[in-house]
Amino acid sequence: MKNNGSQENFSKIKYLILKEEEEALRIFRKSNFRSQLAERIKSESKKGSSFPFWLKKPIPALGICLLLFFLGVIAFISIFIPSPYEKNLKSIEKFLRQTPGYQRFVKNKVEDVIILTMDNEYSELEWAIKRVLFSIYKETLSKKDLPTIIAQIFLNLPAEQNEEKAPIIMEDYNILNLDRKIEALKKRKKVYHFLLTFSKIKREEV
Amino acid sequence: MTGRKRTENEKKLFEKLMTYQENVFRICLGFSKNPWDAEDLTQEAYLKAYRKISSIKNSRLLREWLFRIAKNSCLDYSRKNRLSRLFQLKFGNEAVEKNTPESLVAHMEQLQILKKSIRQLPNKHRLVFILREYGHLSYQEIAAVLRIREGTVMSRLNRARQAIINYMKGKNYEK
Protein backbone atom coordinates (compact mmCIF):
# COMPACT_ATOMS: atom_id res chain seq x y z
CA MET A 1 0.00 0.00 0.00
CA LYS A 2 2.69 2.29 0.95
CA ASN A 3 4.46 1.49 -2.29
CA ASN A 4 1.33 2.29 -4.27
CA GLY A 5 1.05 5.60 -2.48
CA SER A 6 4.63 6.47 -3.32
CA GLN A 7 4.17 5.45 -6.92
CA GLU A 8 1.07 7.58 -7.20
CA ASN A 9 2.88 10.54 -5.69
CA PHE A 10 5.73 10.03 -8.04
CA SER A 11 3.54 9.80 -11.08
CA LYS A 12 2.28 13.28 -10.20
CA ILE A 13 5.85 14.47 -10.01
CA LYS A 14 6.56 12.85 -13.37
CA TYR A 15 3.58 14.65 -14.82
CA LEU A 16 4.97 17.96 -13.56
CA ILE A 17 8.32 17.22 -15.15
CA LEU A 18 6.67 16.25 -18.41
CA LYS A 19 4.69 19.46 -18.56
CA GLU A 20 7.79 21.48 -17.82
CA GLU A 21 9.70 19.72 -20.59
CA GLU A 22 6.95 20.23 -23.13
CA GLU A 23 6.77 23.92 -22.43
CA ALA A 24 10.55 24.31 -22.41
CA LEU A 25 11.04 22.37 -25.65
CA ARG A 26 8.44 24.52 -27.33
CA ILE A 27 10.48 27.59 -26.47
CA PHE A 28 13.75 25.85 -27.40
CA ARG A 29 12.51 24.79 -30.83
CA LYS A 30 11.41 28.34 -31.60
CA SER A 31 14.87 29.73 -30.90
CA ASN A 32 17.44 29.20 -33.58
CA PHE A 33 19.88 27.21 -31.45
CA ARG A 34 22.11 26.04 -34.27
CA SER A 35 22.75 29.47 -35.76
CA GLN A 36 23.26 31.03 -32.31
CA LEU A 37 25.84 28.37 -31.51
CA ALA A 38 27.58 28.85 -34.87
CA GLU A 39 27.79 32.61 -34.23
CA ARG A 40 29.26 32.06 -30.82
CA ILE A 41 31.86 29.64 -32.14
CA LYS A 42 32.77 32.14 -34.84
CA SER A 43 33.17 35.04 -32.38
CA GLU A 44 35.26 32.92 -30.01
CA SER A 45 37.58 31.80 -32.79
CA LYS A 46 38.12 35.45 -33.74
CA LYS A 47 38.91 36.44 -30.17
CA GLY A 48 41.24 33.53 -29.70
CA SER A 49 41.91 32.24 -26.21
CA SER A 50 40.58 34.88 -23.80
CA PHE A 51 42.58 33.43 -21.02
CA PRO A 52 46.30 33.86 -21.72
CA PHE A 53 48.33 30.82 -20.83
CA TRP A 54 50.60 32.77 -18.52
CA LEU A 55 47.68 33.53 -16.21
CA LYS A 56 46.84 29.88 -15.67
CA LYS A 57 47.62 28.73 -12.16
CA PRO A 58 50.82 26.68 -12.67
CA ILE A 59 52.75 29.44 -14.37
CA PRO A 60 52.38 32.22 -11.79
CA ALA A 61 52.97 29.62 -9.08
CA LEU A 62 56.17 28.50 -10.79
CA GLY A 63 57.23 32.13 -11.19
CA ILE A 64 56.73 32.80 -7.48
CA CYS A 65 58.67 29.65 -6.55
CA LEU A 66 61.58 30.67 -8.77
CA LEU A 67 61.56 34.19 -7.33
CA LEU A 68 61.60 32.83 -3.77
CA PHE A 69 64.41 30.47 -4.69
CA PHE A 70 66.59 33.25 -6.10
CA LEU A 71 65.86 35.49 -3.11
CA GLY A 72 66.95 32.65 -0.87
CA VAL A 73 70.18 32.22 -2.83
CA ILE A 74 70.91 35.97 -2.60
CA ALA A 75 70.21 35.98 1.15
CA PHE A 76 72.45 32.95 1.64
CA ILE A 77 75.30 34.57 -0.29
CA SER A 78 75.03 37.87 1.56
CA ILE A 79 74.85 36.23 5.00
CA PHE A 80 77.21 33.28 4.81
CA ILE A 81 79.71 34.11 2.11
CA PRO A 82 82.09 36.86 3.26
CA SER A 83 82.73 39.83 1.01
CA PRO A 84 86.20 40.45 -0.40
CA TYR A 85 86.52 43.29 2.11
CA GLU A 86 85.90 40.93 5.00
CA LYS A 87 88.30 38.40 3.54
CA ASN A 88 91.02 41.03 3.36
CA LEU A 89 90.26 42.04 6.91
CA LYS A 90 90.61 38.50 8.15
CA SER A 91 93.85 37.92 6.29
CA ILE A 92 95.32 41.16 7.69
CA GLU A 93 94.21 40.24 11.17
CA LYS A 94 95.74 36.82 10.82
CA PHE A 95 99.00 38.34 9.61
CA LEU A 96 99.18 40.92 12.39
CA ARG A 97 98.67 38.27 15.01
CA GLN A 98 101.81 36.59 13.76
CA THR A 99 104.01 39.70 14.21
CA PRO A 100 106.49 39.66 17.11
CA GLY A 101 105.35 42.87 18.77
CA TYR A 102 101.69 41.91 18.70
CA GLN A 103 101.29 40.78 22.32
CA ARG A 104 103.17 43.77 23.68
CA PHE A 105 101.13 46.06 21.48
CA VAL A 106 97.92 44.67 22.81
CA LYS A 107 98.97 45.32 26.37
CA ASN A 108 100.27 48.86 25.90
CA LYS A 109 98.60 51.94 24.69
CA VAL A 110 99.99 54.27 22.06
CA GLU A 111 99.80 57.86 23.21
CA ASP A 112 100.99 61.28 22.22
CA VAL A 113 102.32 60.39 18.88
CA ILE A 114 102.52 63.20 16.40
CA ILE A 115 102.84 62.42 12.80
CA LEU A 116 102.34 64.30 9.60
CA THR A 117 98.73 64.68 8.76
CA MET A 118 97.54 62.86 5.73
CA ASP A 119 94.37 63.51 3.79
CA ASN A 120 91.14 62.50 5.46
CA GLU A 121 90.06 59.84 3.04
CA TYR A 122 90.87 56.27 4.00
CA SER A 123 92.03 53.80 1.44
CA GLU A 124 90.65 50.29 1.56
CA LEU A 125 93.80 49.01 3.20
CA GLU A 126 93.70 51.74 5.83
CA TRP A 127 90.08 50.93 6.62
CA ALA A 128 90.98 47.30 6.96
CA ILE A 129 93.87 48.04 9.32
CA LYS A 130 91.71 50.44 11.34
CA ARG A 131 89.03 47.80 11.86
CA VAL A 132 91.48 45.11 12.82
CA LEU A 133 93.21 47.40 15.29
CA PHE A 134 89.87 48.43 16.74
CA SER A 135 88.93 44.83 17.29
CA ILE A 136 92.19 44.36 19.21
CA TYR A 137 92.57 47.74 20.86
CA LYS A 138 88.86 48.47 21.42
CA GLU A 139 89.35 52.16 20.81
CA THR A 140 88.71 54.27 17.76
CA LEU A 141 92.01 55.24 16.21
CA SER A 142 92.50 58.21 14.00
CA LYS A 143 94.02 57.89 10.62
CA LYS A 144 97.31 59.42 11.72
CA ASP A 145 97.76 56.75 14.39
CA LEU A 146 97.63 53.84 12.04
CA PRO A 147 101.09 53.91 10.48
CA THR A 148 102.78 54.42 13.82
CA ILE A 149 100.98 51.53 15.36
CA ILE A 150 101.87 49.31 12.46
CA ALA A 151 105.42 50.54 12.64
CA GLN A 152 105.59 49.54 16.28
CA ILE A 153 104.47 46.08 15.42
CA PHE A 154 106.95 45.56 12.59
CA LEU A 155 109.91 47.39 14.00
CA ASN A 156 109.46 46.31 17.60
CA LEU A 157 109.54 49.88 18.83
CA PRO A 158 109.21 50.28 22.57
CA ALA A 159 105.63 50.44 23.69
CA GLU A 160 106.02 53.21 26.31
CA GLN A 161 106.35 56.74 25.07
CA ASN A 162 108.55 59.28 26.86
CA GLU A 163 106.94 62.70 26.94
CA GLU A 164 110.25 64.51 26.83
CA LYS A 165 111.29 62.84 23.67
CA ALA A 166 110.58 64.53 20.45
CA PRO A 167 107.42 63.37 18.77
CA ILE A 168 107.88 60.78 16.11
CA ILE A 169 107.82 62.38 12.74
CA MET A 170 107.42 60.15 9.76
CA GLU A 171 110.06 62.01 7.83
CA ASP A 172 112.68 60.45 10.06
CA TYR A 173 111.31 57.03 9.61
CA ASN A 174 113.97 54.64 8.29
CA ILE A 175 112.48 53.21 5.17
CA LEU A 176 115.60 51.31 4.18
CA ASN A 177 115.44 49.21 7.31
CA LEU A 178 111.93 48.28 6.58
CA ASP A 179 112.76 47.30 3.04
CA ARG A 180 115.48 45.01 4.22
CA LYS A 181 113.28 43.43 6.75
CA ILE A 182 110.62 42.62 4.32
CA GLU A 183 113.15 41.09 1.90
CA ALA A 184 112.82 37.87 3.77
CA LEU A 185 109.10 37.91 3.48
CA LYS A 186 109.00 38.39 -0.27
CA LYS A 187 107.85 34.86 -0.84
CA ARG A 188 104.51 35.58 0.74
CA LYS A 189 102.82 37.70 -1.86
CA LYS A 190 100.04 39.06 0.28
CA VAL A 191 102.37 40.20 3.03
CA TYR A 192 104.77 41.62 0.50
CA HIS A 193 102.09 43.65 -1.22
CA PHE A 194 100.73 44.85 2.09
CA LEU A 195 104.09 46.01 3.31
CA LEU A 196 104.98 47.50 -0.03
CA THR A 197 101.81 49.54 0.02
CA PHE A 198 102.56 50.57 3.56
CA SER A 199 106.07 51.63 2.66
CA LYS A 200 104.79 53.56 -0.35
CA ILE A 201 102.49 55.52 1.89
CA LYS A 202 105.48 56.39 4.02
CA ARG A 203 107.58 57.45 1.03
CA GLU A 204 104.78 59.71 -0.18
CA GLU A 205 104.64 61.40 3.16
CA VAL A 206 108.32 61.98 3.08
CA MET B 1 41.16 26.43 -28.97
CA THR B 2 38.04 27.23 -31.02
CA GLY B 3 40.30 29.08 -33.48
CA ARG B 4 41.95 25.97 -34.87
CA LYS B 5 40.46 24.71 -38.12
CA ARG B 6 38.62 21.44 -37.74
CA THR B 7 39.32 18.41 -39.85
CA GLU B 8 36.58 16.83 -41.95
CA ASN B 9 36.22 14.01 -39.47
CA GLU B 10 35.83 16.42 -36.57
CA LYS B 11 33.18 18.36 -38.46
CA LYS B 12 31.24 15.15 -39.08
CA LEU B 13 31.50 14.21 -35.44
CA PHE B 14 30.21 17.62 -34.41
CA GLU B 15 27.28 17.32 -36.80
CA LYS B 16 26.41 14.05 -35.16
CA LEU B 17 26.64 15.71 -31.74
CA MET B 18 24.13 18.33 -32.87
CA THR B 19 21.50 15.62 -33.30
CA TYR B 20 21.45 15.17 -29.51
CA GLN B 21 20.71 18.80 -28.76
CA GLU B 22 17.23 18.19 -27.35
CA ASN B 23 18.54 15.46 -25.05
CA VAL B 24 21.20 17.81 -23.78
CA PHE B 25 18.63 20.56 -23.38
CA ARG B 26 16.41 18.31 -21.25
CA ILE B 27 19.32 17.46 -18.98
CA CYS B 28 20.21 21.13 -18.63
CA LEU B 29 16.55 21.93 -17.90
CA GLY B 30 16.72 19.66 -14.88
CA PHE B 31 19.52 21.77 -13.45
CA SER B 32 18.21 25.20 -14.36
CA LYS B 33 15.16 27.11 -13.24
CA ASN B 34 13.80 28.14 -16.64
CA PRO B 35 14.10 27.20 -20.32
CA TRP B 36 16.31 30.19 -21.17
CA ASP B 37 18.94 29.23 -18.65
CA ALA B 38 18.69 25.68 -19.91
CA GLU B 39 19.35 26.92 -23.45
CA ASP B 40 22.42 28.88 -22.28
CA LEU B 41 23.71 25.81 -20.49
CA THR B 42 23.16 23.74 -23.61
CA GLN B 43 25.18 26.23 -25.63
CA GLU B 44 27.99 26.10 -23.05
CA ALA B 45 28.03 22.33 -23.22
CA TYR B 46 28.24 22.36 -27.00
CA LEU B 47 31.01 24.96 -26.98
CA LYS B 48 33.05 22.81 -24.64
CA ALA B 49 32.39 19.81 -26.85
CA TYR B 50 33.52 21.79 -29.89
CA ARG B 51 36.77 22.76 -28.17
CA LYS B 52 37.51 19.22 -27.06
CA ILE B 53 36.31 17.38 -30.13
CA SER B 54 39.82 16.48 -31.19
CA SER B 55 40.22 14.48 -27.98
CA ILE B 56 37.52 11.95 -28.90
CA LYS B 57 39.12 8.55 -29.21
CA ASN B 58 36.07 6.38 -29.75
CA SER B 59 33.28 7.83 -31.91
CA ARG B 60 30.87 5.14 -30.72
CA LEU B 61 30.87 6.71 -27.28
CA LEU B 62 30.09 10.15 -28.64
CA ARG B 63 26.68 10.50 -26.97
CA GLU B 64 27.98 9.42 -23.62
CA TRP B 65 30.92 11.83 -23.97
CA LEU B 66 28.59 14.73 -24.78
CA PHE B 67 26.27 13.99 -21.86
CA ARG B 68 29.28 13.88 -19.56
CA ILE B 69 30.32 17.35 -20.74
CA ALA B 70 26.74 18.56 -20.23
CA LYS B 71 26.66 17.08 -16.74
CA ASN B 72 29.92 18.84 -15.79
CA SER B 73 28.72 22.16 -17.20
CA CYS B 74 25.51 21.83 -15.20
CA LEU B 75 27.35 21.06 -11.99
CA ASP B 76 29.57 24.13 -12.51
CA TYR B 77 26.44 26.19 -13.09
CA SER B 78 24.86 24.86 -9.90
CA ARG B 79 27.93 25.72 -7.90
CA LYS B 80 28.15 29.25 -9.24
CA ASN B 81 24.47 30.09 -8.90
CA ARG B 82 23.75 28.70 -5.49
CA LEU B 83 23.09 32.06 -3.85
CA SER B 84 21.72 34.09 -6.73
CA ARG B 85 19.19 31.41 -7.56
CA LEU B 86 17.16 31.91 -4.36
CA PHE B 87 16.93 35.62 -4.96
CA GLN B 88 15.84 35.19 -8.56
CA LEU B 89 13.23 32.55 -7.69
CA LYS B 90 11.38 35.10 -5.58
CA PHE B 91 11.12 37.52 -8.46
CA GLY B 92 10.05 34.69 -10.75
CA ASN B 93 7.11 33.90 -8.49
CA GLU B 94 5.95 37.48 -8.34
CA ALA B 95 5.91 37.74 -12.11
CA VAL B 96 3.78 34.62 -12.40
CA GLU B 97 1.32 35.78 -9.76
CA LYS B 98 0.76 39.08 -11.50
CA ASN B 99 0.32 37.86 -15.06
CA THR B 100 -1.27 34.36 -15.12
CA PRO B 101 -4.58 32.77 -14.09
CA GLU B 102 -4.94 30.92 -10.81
CA SER B 103 -4.53 27.36 -12.11
CA LEU B 104 -1.30 28.22 -13.83
CA VAL B 105 -0.05 29.94 -10.71
CA ALA B 106 -0.69 26.77 -8.74
CA HIS B 107 1.12 24.74 -11.37
CA MET B 108 4.09 27.11 -11.30
CA GLU B 109 4.22 26.95 -7.52
CA GLN B 110 4.29 23.17 -7.63
CA LEU B 111 7.02 23.30 -10.24
CA GLN B 112 9.05 25.67 -8.10
CA ILE B 113 8.72 23.29 -5.15
CA LEU B 114 9.78 20.39 -7.35
CA LYS B 115 12.80 22.34 -8.59
CA LYS B 116 13.77 23.21 -5.06
CA SER B 117 13.42 19.62 -3.96
CA ILE B 118 15.69 18.50 -6.80
CA ARG B 119 18.25 21.10 -5.78
CA GLN B 120 18.14 19.87 -2.20
CA LEU B 121 19.33 16.44 -3.27
CA PRO B 122 22.98 15.49 -2.86
CA ASN B 123 24.85 15.80 -6.17
CA LYS B 124 25.18 12.08 -6.80
CA HIS B 125 21.43 11.51 -6.39
CA ARG B 126 20.50 14.65 -8.28
CA LEU B 127 22.59 13.64 -11.29
CA VAL B 128 21.00 10.24 -11.55
CA PHE B 129 17.48 11.68 -11.11
CA ILE B 130 17.90 14.35 -13.79
CA LEU B 131 19.56 12.03 -16.30
CA ARG B 132 16.70 9.57 -15.86
CA GLU B 133 13.64 11.78 -15.46
CA TYR B 134 14.64 14.71 -17.64
CA GLY B 135 17.22 13.18 -19.99
CA HIS B 136 15.27 9.88 -20.40
CA LEU B 137 18.50 7.90 -20.38
CA SER B 138 18.47 4.18 -19.66
CA TYR B 139 20.14 2.79 -16.55
CA GLN B 140 22.96 1.50 -18.72
CA GLU B 141 23.52 4.89 -20.32
CA ILE B 142 23.46 6.66 -16.95
CA ALA B 143 25.99 4.16 -15.60
CA ALA B 144 28.25 4.80 -18.61
CA VAL B 145 28.01 8.60 -18.30
CA LEU B 146 28.66 8.65 -14.57
CA ARG B 147 31.08 5.71 -14.64
CA ILE B 148 29.24 3.78 -11.95
CA ARG B 149 27.48 0.41 -11.83
CA GLU B 150 23.87 -0.05 -12.89
CA GLY B 151 22.93 -1.23 -9.43
CA THR B 152 24.29 2.01 -7.99
CA VAL B 153 22.21 3.96 -10.51
CA MET B 154 19.02 2.20 -9.42
CA SER B 155 19.63 2.63 -5.71
CA ARG B 156 20.50 6.33 -6.07
CA LEU B 157 17.45 6.91 -8.24
CA ASN B 158 15.23 5.26 -5.67
CA ARG B 159 16.59 7.41 -2.90
CA ALA B 160 16.26 10.55 -4.98
CA ARG B 161 12.61 9.84 -5.76
CA GLN B 162 11.81 9.11 -2.14
CA ALA B 163 13.55 12.28 -0.99
CA ILE B 164 11.61 14.40 -3.49
CA ILE B 165 8.30 12.85 -2.47
CA ASN B 166 9.03 13.47 1.19
CA TYR B 167 10.08 17.04 0.50
CA MET B 168 7.01 17.81 -1.51
CA LYS B 169 4.75 16.21 1.12
CA GLY B 170 6.40 18.41 3.68
CA LYS B 171 5.57 21.44 1.54
CA ASN B 172 1.92 20.31 1.38
CA TYR B 173 2.05 19.39 -2.29
CA GLU B 174 -0.94 17.12 -1.88
CA LYS B 175 -3.31 20.04 -1.23
Side-chain angles (χ1 to χ4, degrees), chain A residues 5-7 9-10 12-21 23-25 27-29 31-34 36-37 40-41 44-46 48-49 56, chain B residues 2-3 15 18 21-22 25-26 29 35-36 39 42-44 46-47 50-51 107 111 114-115 129 133-134 136 161-162 164-165 168-169 173-174:
Chain A
S6 290
Q7 277 179 8
N9 284 334
F10 198 72
K12 288 176 184 174
I13 290 167
K14 276 196 117 161
Y15 175 75
L16 265 177
I17 293 170
L18 196 69
K19 279 285 167 195
E20 187 196 359
E21 275 188 350
E23 183 61 32
L25 277 168
I27 296 166
F28 183 68
R29 283 162 189 158
S31 74
N32 204 345
F33 178 75
R34 204 178 247 272
Q36 282 175 11
L37 180 66
R40 213 168 147 186
I41 289 170
E44 268 204 18
S45 60
K46 278 183 187 173
S49 175
K56 289 179 184 171
Chain B
T2 51
E15 276 307 310
M18 289 302 287
Q21 56 183 276
E22 285 194 4
F25 176 77
R26 283 198 186 96
L29 185 67
W36 298 277
E39 195 179 331
T42 311
Q43 265 197 21
E44 276 301 320
Y46 270 93
L47 270 169
Y50 185 79
R51 285 176 204 139
H107 173 80
L111 190 58
L114 172 64
K115 287 285 194 184
F129 181 83
E133 304 302 338
Y134 280 86
H136 307 294
R161 284 173 176 170
Q162 203 53 54
I164 288 170
I165 290 167
M168 292 188 84
K169 269 187 184 170
Y173 167 66
E174 294 268 350

Side-chain angles (χ1 to χ4, degrees), chain A residues 23-24 31 44 53 56 59 63 67 69 90 105-106 116 127 129 138 142 156 162 167 181 189 193-194 201:
Chain A
E23 183 61 32
S31 74
E44 268 204 18
F53 80 95
K56 289 179 184 171
I59 291 162
L67 183 70
F69 173 74
K90 282 181 181 162
F105 167 70
V106 167
L116 292 173
W127 268 115
I129 294 168
K138 305 297 179 197
S142 69
N156 287 328
N162 195 336
K181 284 184 187 215
K189 282 185 184 174
H193 281 300
F194 165 66
I201 293 168

Side-chain angles (χ1 to χ4, degrees), chain B residues 29-56:
Chain B
L29 185 67
F31 281 95
S32 48
K33 60 185 184 310
N34 58 56
W36 298 277
D37 280 0
E39 195 179 331
D40 285 342
L41 265 177
T42 311
Q43 265 197 21
E44 276 301 320
Y46 270 93
L47 270 169
K48 283 181 185 175
Y50 185 79
R51 285 176 204 139
K52 294 180 184 179
I53 202 154
S54 54
S55 67
I56 296 173

Side-chain angles (χ1 to χ4, degrees), chain A residues 4-197:
Chain A
N4 283 337
S6 290
Q7 277 179 8
E8 201 185 310
N9 284 334
F10 198 72
S11 62
K12 288 176 184 174
I13 290 167
K14 276 196 117 161
Y15 175 75
L16 265 177
I17 293 170
L18 196 69
K19 279 285 167 195
E20 187 196 359
E21 275 188 350
E22 274 178 16
E23 183 61 32
L25 277 168
R26 196 174 56 79
I27 296 166
F28 183 68
R29 283 162 189 158
K30 275 184 185 175
S31 74
N32 204 345
F33 178 75
R34 204 178 247 272
S35 59
Q36 282 175 11
L37 180 66
E39 259 186 57
R40 213 168 147 186
I41 289 170
K42 206 178 173 183
S43 67
E44 268 204 18
S45 60
K46 278 183 187 173
K47 252 192 271 177
S49 175
S50 59
F51 199 65
F53 80 95
W54 42 269
L55 280 181
K56 289 179 184 171
K57 279 180 194 172
I59 291 162
L62 184 66
I64 288 165
C65 288
L66 281 171
L67 183 70
L68 287 170
F69 173 74
F70 284 120
L71 285 172
V73 166
I74 291 165
F76 179 81
I77 289 168
S78 59
I79 291 164
F80 294 110
I81 298 174
S83 63
Y85 179 76
E86 283 170 337
K87 280 180 189 169
N88 280 340
L89 201 66
K90 282 181 181 162
S91 65
I92 292 166
E93 185 185 356
K94 195 179 170 184
F95 170 69
L96 287 177
R97 284 177 193 279
Q98 292 167 13
T99 54
Y102 171 74
Q103 288 303 322
R104 210 161 23 122
F105 167 70
V106 167
K107 286 174 191 171
N108 300 294
K109 209 174 168 180
V110 175
E111 285 175 355
D112 302 326
V113 172
I114 301 164
I115 59 168
L116 292 173
T117 55
M118 292 179 263
D119 64 274
N120 286 328
E121 279 196 28
Y122 286 87
S123 67
E124 198 180 311
L125 178 66
E126 284 164 328
W127 268 115
I129 294 168
K130 185 177 157 74
R131 282 181 67 161
V132 168
L133 293 174
F134 179 80
S135 70
I136 301 163
Y137 199 56
K138 305 297 179 197
E139 271 191 33
T140 308
L141 301 159
S142 69
K143 191 173 176 181
K144 61 183 181 180
D145 295 331
L146 298 180
T148 314
I149 294 163
I150 298 296
Q152 278 194 346
I153 291 170
F154 291 118
L155 302 174
N156 287 328
L157 289 173
E160 288 92 13
Q161 295 291 320
N162 195 336
E163 283 182 5
E164 291 171 17
K165 278 188 185 174
I168 296 165
I169 299 169
M170 299 318 275
E171 283 153 343
D172 290 336
Y173 179 66
N174 194 337
I175 292 160
L176 286 174
N177 278 342
L178 180 63
D179 283 345
R180 273 192 210 131
K181 284 184 187 215
I182 67 173
E183 273 295 314
L185 298 170
K186 262 190 181 179
K187 286 177 189 175
R188 287 192 185 178
K189 282 185 184 174
K190 276 188 183 174
V191 174
Y192 178 73
H193 281 300
F194 165 66
L195 293 172
L196 199 61
T197 312

